[in-house]
Amino acid sequence: QVQLVESGGGLVQPGGSLRLSCVASGRIFSIYPMGWYRQVSGKQRELVATITSGGTRNYADSVKGRFTISRENAKNSVYLQMNSLKPEDTAVYYCNLSPAGMNYWGKGTLVSISS
């Protein structure tokens, strides 16, 4: 009964910022890795950033130095702070939870970068 709900997407100009949030319900997942992925129509879903329960972070090369992933285990939440946004960041962003070989996904939130 795990459910992930993303929020915070929207339309911003190049160079702007957005903060995405994901809140999980159904069970405690604080010991499992979480992450953010994004997908454009006609393209494969790609990894943006991941974070372990201990706070170890990994980022796609395309977002290093601009995006920051974080989590608050007590709130069952994970966040993605996105700065210096570029048009190529436009995509639907999905929250991911991956406990013990399984994957759970949110329904996504749209991020659109346009002048």
Side-chain angles (χ1 to χ4, degrees):
Q1 297 184 193
V2 172
Q3 182 176 336
L4 306 176
V5 179
E6 304 98 335
S7 63
L11 173 64
V12 297
Q13 295 184 351
S17 297
L18 283 173
R19 179 176 168 85
L20 305 183
S21 298
C22 173
V23 179
S25 62
R27 69 177 70 186
I28 298 173
F29 64 93
S30 62
I31 67 173
Y32 303 119
M34 297 187 71
W36 289 94
Y37 292 69
R38 65 188 182 187
Q39 187 171 24
V40 178
S41 296
K43 299 288 187 178
Q44 291 184 313
R45 188 172 298 183
E46 66 176 8
L47 185 148
V48 176
T50 61
I51 185 168
T52 69
S53 61
T56 300
R57 297 168 171 85
N58 285 291
Y59 297 95
D61 288 341
S62 59
V63 307
K64 287 181 179 178
R66 300 188 298 120
F67 292 9
T68 302
I69 188 171
S70 61
R71 67 191 296 168
E72 294 185 69
N73 291 337
K75 298 181 179 180
N76 286 347
S77 299
V78 63
Y79 309 95
L80 186 68
Q81 178 66 47
M82 305 185 294
N83 299 326
S84 302
L85 285 162
K86 304 175 180 179
E88 52 263 43
D89 295 318
T90 296
V92 176
Y93 284 70
Y94 297 90
C95 180
N96 169 261
L97 169 67
S98 58
M102 298 184 292
N103 279 287
Y104 295 94
W105 299 94
K107 293 183 178 180
T109 184
L110 177 63
V111 172
S112 183
I113 315 302
S114 177
S115 60

